[in-house]
Amino acid sequence: MSDTTATEWPLWEVFVRTRAGLDHKHCGSLHAADAAMALRMAREVYTRRQEGSSIWVVRSEQIVASDPGDKDMYFDPMEDKVYRHPTFYKLPAEVDHM
Amino acid sequence: MYTQAMDVEGAEKARAVTTLAEAELLQRFDARIDDGGFIEAKDWMPEHYRKTLVRQISQHAHSEIVGMLPEGNWVTRAPTLKRKAILLAKIQDEGGHGLYLYAAAETLGTSRDQMLAALHSGKAKYSSIFNYPTLNWADVGVIGWLVDGAAIMNQVPLCRCSYAPYARAMIRICREESFHQRQGYDALLVMMREGTDAQRALVQDAVDRWWWPSLMMFGPPDGESVHGAQSMRWGIKRISNDDLRQKFVDATVQQAQVLGVTLPDPALQWNEQRGHWDYGAIDWAEFWRVVGGDGACNRERLAARVKAWDEGAWVREAALAHAAKQAARERQAA
């Protein structure tokens, strides 16, 4: 019994496509020594009830993410651009289904 | 399965806010919680919130994997192939639930190995319900019906926990858990309706032994719960221990009637005025004794965990060595 963090299996993120036609969606993570093992364990852990038809695994350290601290600066500029939405345009009732 | 242990360790004192910037972050954090918003792994959070979550989620994870042990006791002795397949599937689920929860706790900056080391050294707790033995086959059914039933009662509100990775894990777990309760009740129904008198007696015996420990799973009474108020404030906990316990009793009484067993509590009585079932006093001295390490199986459970971990060390090392060798070979070929 020891704290063997140095020899811990690397962390992988798991993405599952529930059925053909849909996107792969992030569903969790797991530790595995290599890619083949990560795939096999992802199947055991995340698709025991036919939740998937395809799995992606990616080393967690390979994911590049935006900084949550920058969230406002990053996403707020879109807030005042309501003209990018179809509902911004009021059309006569006869053609409003456009 | 579920841990009640989040309530039973000494409370850490929340550290005072020291800088102006920190005060502002804290204000924003509190506002988001009040708004019913979620906190994600990389968001700023008070240290005390992080610590509380690491403790609760890791103890919950430990409970899942220790919970595999009492049921594993019956895999080779399940009465039919169907029951054996069901039991194996359930035990595999518990392992999976442990993994979802360890992964959620890891997002808070603690490693899997650190958490396991805390479990193995006895520093971290797991739900004390698993320190009771599974003496006959009906115990497996009763664990599904009562223990998983109590767990579900506890876990459903956690799907709305303010810490999003934990909430997401709980949604997945709750979806899988309802099969656990139903298969247990189903197994007991078969024993009660198609079984012999001796088999019916086994069910009653199991109910007699598991009823009170199941009620204890909801944790100490609200007045004595050390983390209760702060956890409520932070949206980690949504419903109090006593309210959940009452909900469980109310739901279970009729199920016991349908099954044809007697819940071992002479004080159990419908209270028209409250609109709830009254129940007798819980033996909290027993609860604290088992939490403190002196239950029937505490030593056995921990020893089984440590043995599995130690004897699996060479497999973990070999897999890493194999992966490193493969990677080196691929680099060479490139």
Side-chain angles (χ1 to χ4, degrees), chain A residues 51-86:
Chain A
E51 294 95 333
S53 61
S54 162
I55 300 175
W56 289 348
V57 290
V58 183
R59 281 283 289 267
S60 307
E61 63 188 20
Q62 303 274 352
I63 289 183
V64 182
S66 64
D67 183 345
D70 291 344
K71 184 173 144 294
D72 298 347
M73 186 176 81
Y74 221 68
F75 298 105
D76 284 358
M78 308 308 154
E79 202 173 44
D80 57 2
K81 296 177 179 60
V82 281
Y83 49 84
R84 288 181 172 172
H85 295 277

Side-chain angles (χ1 to χ4, degrees), chain A residues 1-5 7-11 27-31 33-34 37 44-46 48-49 51 68 72, chain B residues 42-43 92-93 96 99-100 103 106 111-114 120-121 172 176 179 306 309-310 316 319-320 322-323:
Chain A
M1 170 174 52
S2 60
D3 183 0
T4 50
T5 307
T7 59
E8 209 171 71
W9 288 349
L11 194 63
C27 69
S29 48
L30 51 78
H31 289 273
D34 58 30
M37 186 195 260
E44 291 303 317
V45 174
Y46 292 106
R48 286 198 301 281
R49 291 177 175 81
E51 294 95 333
D72 298 347
Chain B
K42 298 274 165 62
D43 292 336
Q92 194 187 12
D93 273 357
L99 181 137
Y100 307 155
E106 281 173 87
S111 79
R112 180 87 54 101
D113 283 359
Q114 279 171 337
H120 295 160
S121 71
R172 194 173 286 280
E176 298 180 353
F179 134 67
V306 171
W309 179 252
D310 287 349
R316 295 191 297 276
L320 263 188
H322 175 72

